Amino acid sequence: MAVPVQVAEQRSQQLASYEQAVSACTRCRLAEGRTQVVFGSGNPDAELMFVGEAPGFHEDQQGVPFVGQAGKLLEKLLAGIGLERADVYIANVIKCRPPGNRDPQPDEIEACESHLFRQIELIQPQLVATLGNFATKLLTGKPLGITRVHGQEQWTTLGGNRVQLYPLYHPAAALYTPRMLQVLEEDFARIPQLLGTDDVPKPVLQLAPAPEPTVQLGLF
Ligand code: SF4
């Protein structure tokens, strides 16, 4: 649905100014080892938002989420449903890279999660796809793992908005597990239906196996 120009401009400005504020955040110890805060990127008016775990090495260097092999796979999956990166918004629960890509600690999650909730409040997406176990458990508030709940949409309230949550396998996990990739593709194929845009023509996917693992713990 098209957003009125004034609303879009205001939202974009608010998001940019929040990003500016978060770029100096020192609420938790992860500020000490980061190259930069990886706030998020994409369309401030996105109907579809993806939420992963935390920045890895390349994300920390470039300041953009999902820029490695997992990001490439995410882009291919998006292309498969007629979308580009610029159509969606991509963020992580944790905005600074944990050292050695270790799992984020509970106090770090507690310190950082309000940044994500504020992003959701500003963007007001219709659908929030959680990528992997970590984001899924946090945003559903339930202990059920991704293998149990992937592909099952559910309504919840995030950042003061009613949104549909849609848990998916993390692309980094699917890179090296063909069966998981197949399930991820199948779950992705339902996104247009959930967004109410399932009349969009779907290009043929050609997914090549990717090298170079940067798989983090807790992704599946
Ligand atoms: S991880 Fe989050 S809370 Fe911690 S310093 Fe970075 S932005 Fe702030």
Side-chain angles (χ1 to χ4, degrees):
M1 190 195 307
V3 177
V5 175
Q6 262 188 329
V7 173
E9 278 175 7
Q10 189 184 23
R11 179 179 288 165
S12 178
Q13 282 168 8
Q14 284 180 319
L15 198 62
S17 106
Y18 191 60
E19 178 171 5
Q20 179 72 26
V22 174
S23 70
C25 177
T26 53
R27 272 194 214 160
C28 83
R29 67 181 78 80
L30 295 180
E32 294 160 19
R34 74 184 179 214
T35 303
Q36 57 197 311
V37 170
V38 183
F39 180 74
S41 70
N43 180 2
D45 299 314
E47 300 282 4
L48 172 60
M49 181 167 174
F50 290 92
V51 179
E53 179 174 329
F57 175 82
H58 296 291
E59 288 78 15
D60 174 67
Q61 293 289 310
Q62 298 180 40
V64 179
F66 286 85
V67 290
Q69 292 299 327
K72 287 197 176 73
L73 175 56
L74 184 58
E75 286 170 15
K76 284 179 181 170
L77 290 161
L78 281 170
I81 55 171
L83 294 174
E84 302 177 353
R85 219 180 145 102
D87 296 319
V88 304
Y89 196 89
I90 305 175
N92 286 306
V93 173
I94 298 285
K95 311 297 187 201
C96 302
R97 183 191 180 211
N101 292 348
R102 67 155 167 76
D103 285 349
Q105 304 296 305
D107 61 327
E108 295 161 357
I109 298 164
E110 194 181 340
C112 205
E113 64 185 12
S114 65
H115 294 323
L116 174 66
F117 295 146
R118 179 66 179 144
Q119 284 175 306
I120 294 171
E121 186 181 13
L122 288 171
I123 296 166
Q124 299 186 340
Q126 186 182 328
L127 190 67
V128 173
T130 53
L131 299 172
N133 232 356
F134 180 85
T136 298
K137 286 184 181 175
L138 181 76
L139 295 192
T140 59
K142 295 176 189 157
L144 292 177
I146 191 67
T147 51
R148 293 274 303 278
V149 299
H150 74 84
Q152 298 171 35
E153 69 274 22
Q154 54 190 283
W155 284 96
T156 190
T157 300
L158 295 175
N161 297 302
R162 289 292 285 166
V163 297
Q164 266 195 106
L165 268 190
Y166 191 50
L168 297 170
Y169 282 129
H170 196 291
L175 276 173
Y176 308 101
T177 314
R179 173 62 192 141
M180 203 177 280
L181 176 58
Q182 187 187 342
V183 172
L184 181 57
E185 288 177 75
E186 289 164 5
D187 289 344
F188 242 83
R190 287 196 56 232
I191 289 178
Q193 177 201 339
L194 295 170
L195 288 172
T197 57
D198 46 356
D199 52 348
V200 174
K202 299 172 185 58
V204 176
L205 256 188
Q206 289 190 330
L207 296 175
E212 204 198 314
T214 48
V215 180
Q216 298 171 19
L217 292 176
L219 297 179
F220 57 95

